[in-house]
Amino acid sequence: MKEYKVLKPNLGWRDRSIKLEEILNNHAKQGWVLHTVTKHEGFIQVIFERNKNR
């Protein structure tokens, strides 16, 4: 079974790529895998997935 996590990160105006990379790396350390990144009306939504431990 999978579980999902949805984030709407506040990346600010400076160093956006670095901040996004940090978010991705930190979640990867916790076992999360990037599923989807979307942009809507100026906001970014990041969806992660991982296997749910029973």
Side-chain angles (χ1 to χ4, degrees):
M1 178 181 235
K2 301 268 185 186
E3 67 178 325
Y4 296 88
K5 184 176 202 176
V6 178
L7 295 178
K8 291 183 182 178
N10 183 6
L11 301 175
W13 294 103
R14 300 182 72 182
D15 303 320
R16 297 181 87 181
S17 295
I18 293 170
K19 290 177 185 176
L20 182 57
E21 184 177 338
E22 289 173 357
I23 290 169
L24 295 173
N25 286 330
N26 288 335
H27 281 79
K29 289 176 186 175
Q30 299 172 26
W32 292 100
V33 177
L34 179 64
H35 184 273
T36 309
V37 177
T38 60
K39 182 179 176 186
H40 179 67
E41 295 182 1
F43 293 99
I44 294 174
Q45 186 176 47
V46 182
I47 302 172
F48 294 97
E49 74 175 357
R50 70 177 174 186
N51 288 326
K52 188 172 185 176
N53 297 329
R54 291 185 176 214

